[in-house]
Amino acid sequence: MVPATGLCEGCMRTIDEIVAWGRADDATKRAIWAEIRRREAQIAFD
Amino acid sequence: MRLPASMQVFERGWLSANNILFIGRSETTLVDSGYVTHAPQTLALLRHALAGRPLDRIVNTHLHSDHCGGNAALKDAYGCRIAIPVFEAAKVRAWDEDALSYRATGQQCARFGFEATIAPGDVLTMGDLRWQALSAPGHDPHALLFWCAQEGILIAGDALWQNGFGVIFPELAGEPGFGEVRATLDLIAQLAPRLVIPGHGAPFLDVAAALQRAYSRLDYLAADPVRNAENAVKVLLKFLLIERRAIPLAEVTALFETVPLLVLARERFLPRSSAALAQWAVRALEKAGAANLREGILADA
């Protein structure tokens, strides 16, 4: 986890999202995926 | 995808296997604990999901580093009991890193002990449901499946994924593995689960299709053991790359000279120099989109 963002460095999900993922329906997963893409776009990879 | 209310799946990645958390009326159990470097995240997930309850027990499908690397940290945090496949007991008691897979693969695992062993045929109560342990050799000779007949749910570990199964390691050492994988797939086919929770990837319902893919993959690998060795080499390098993020090319070659399973695979099945095999593996990962080579450094992709 990255302490500053609270995100998993690998999958860019929060602890809440990883825990919820296993029971999430497809719409919820798609919404999280959209959020992951948004987060990826904000992070500068070196 | 309907899961009983008493069970949750934490879908992780490749470095850490999935974790399955059972919250029963009187006991909580976690099946598999991820990789050692991910232990803080595993603990954070558990604390969140358990909402103040303690973790009472860890159960391992098998003792590869991506399935039991969190055992020690969770034991420290919760004082939980640890239950391992029975035929691993002596190795774990002595923490025999040569007999366990960690030294052979160049992977890390924090030392842990155990309070209980699980034999094929044993019945465990997890999340107030009955789960039978079944022998699942092939990927690992002592691996276990956990089968809940009442719910039609199979916890498969690395014996069956939606697309394939774990590397058939025993064959690298000249021990039988192909026949064992087939027997394990036959057993799963016979159980006919409604839902499979694999060690890696999302839980899946279309089990018949997954079995078909697994049988064709097995046929392909068993037809020429060199294919199995090539696959093992790629998977082992990719695992080390995920763990380390980036490895200078010179160190990749050194890995092929020192990691015992990479040496064994080369000597038995892939006769060429370590440098040549390293170069082949790097190209194979690049071609698969699993790594990028830039300025002499191999980076995970």
Side-chain angles (χ1 to χ4, degrees):
Chain A
M1 306 301 291
V2 181
T5 59
L7 297 175
C8 169
E9 278 174 87
C11 67
M12 308 282 282
R13 294 175 296 174
T14 64
I15 290 290
D16 279 359
E17 288 166 349
I18 301 172
V19 170
W21 190 265
R23 290 189 173 280
D25 57 21
D26 287 351
T28 309
K29 285 185 183 173
R30 280 197 196 92
I32 296 174
W33 265 115
E35 183 60 21
I36 290 168
R37 295 299 180 223
R38 194 188 63 76
R39 291 168 188 161
E40 283 172 341
Q42 285 185 338
I43 287 178
F45 290 99
D46 38 59
Chain B
M1 184 166 311
R2 197 177 60 82
L3 275 181
S6 63
M7 79 188 278
Q8 294 178 71
V9 179
F10 303 152
E11 195 184 322
R12 307 290 289 275
W14 287 101
L15 196 59
S16 279
N18 294 337
N19 323 116
I20 302 147
L21 177 63
F22 290 94
I23 303 184
R25 282 187 298 272
S26 59
E27 204 202 66
T28 60
T29 299
L30 185 74
V31 176
D32 287 344
S33 64
Y35 194 63
V36 63
T37 54
H38 285 173
Q41 188 186 76
T42 306
L43 188 56
L45 291 167
L46 275 174
R47 287 204 197 285
H48 186 291
L50 284 165
R53 275 187 71 169
L55 179 69
D56 297 314
R57 178 173 58 167
I58 296 169
V59 167
N60 293 120
T61 57
H62 60 300
L63 296 187
H64 287 166
S65 66
D66 52 332
H67 291 256
C68 64
N71 282 15
L74 298 183
K75 174 90 179 179
D76 277 350
Y78 289 108
C80 50
R81 286 171 288 127
I82 294 176
I84 61 169
V86 64
F87 296 115
E88 304 286 19
K91 291 181 248 173
V92 173
R93 199 175 289 120
W95 202 253
D96 181 349
E97 288 206 328
D98 284 319
L100 295 162
S101 60
Y102 317 128
R103 184 164 295 150
T105 54
Q107 298 168 8
Q108 311 175 57
C109 190
R111 182 173 184 168
F112 57 87
F114 62 94
E115 284 70 36
T117 58
I118 306 168
D122 285 357
V123 173
L124 288 75
T125 300
M126 302 192 287
D128 305 323
L129 297 164
R130 281 170 54 89
W131 296 83
Q132 186 171 36
L134 299 166
S135 178
H139 167 64
D140 177 273
H142 307 308
L144 298 172
L145 307 169
F146 296 107
W147 167 239
C148 179
Q150 182 193 333
E151 294 285 341
I153 299 177
L154 181 73
I155 295 173
D158 292 343
L160 179 67
W161 301 333
Q162 189 154 21
N163 197 356
F165 43 76
V167 171
I168 308 171
F169 284 114
E171 289 283 344
L172 295 180
E175 287 156 20
F178 298 131
E180 282 68 10
V181 170
R182 188 172 302 282
T184 295
L185 294 176
D186 289 348
L187 169 63
I188 296 174
Q190 194 191 328
L191 297 172
R194 170 182 75 82
L195 170 67
V196 169
I197 301 172
H200 303 269
F204 57 91
L205 293 164
D206 196 348
V207 180
L211 280 167
Q212 277 317 308
R213 283 189 292 270
Y215 279 120
S216 356
R217 176 87 180 139
L218 173 61
D219 289 343
Y220 172 80
L221 295 171
D224 182 356
V226 168
R227 293 171 176 166
N228 184 56
E230 287 178 341
N231 179 53
V233 163
K234 285 189 279 184
V235 169
L236 286 166
L237 178 59
K238 174 66 177 175
F239 191 95
L240 292 169
L241 195 54
I242 302 175
E243 185 193 9
R244 302 176 192 191
R245 309 289 180 84
I247 308 178
L249 212 47
E251 283 178 35
V252 175
T253 305
L255 289 172
F256 279 81
E257 284 162 3
T258 53
V259 172
L261 262 184
L262 291 175
V263 173
L264 188 69
R266 181 169 59 82
E267 288 175 350
R268 291 186 69 101
F269 297 102
L270 307 164
R272 68 199 77 168
S273 70
S274 319
L277 187 60
Q279 193 176 41
W280 172 85
V282 166
R283 292 245 170 83
L285 290 193
E286 278 191 297
K287 216 172 114 190
N292 293 314
L293 183 58
R294 269 194 220 105
E295 292 162 16
I297 294 173
L298 189 68
D300 189 35

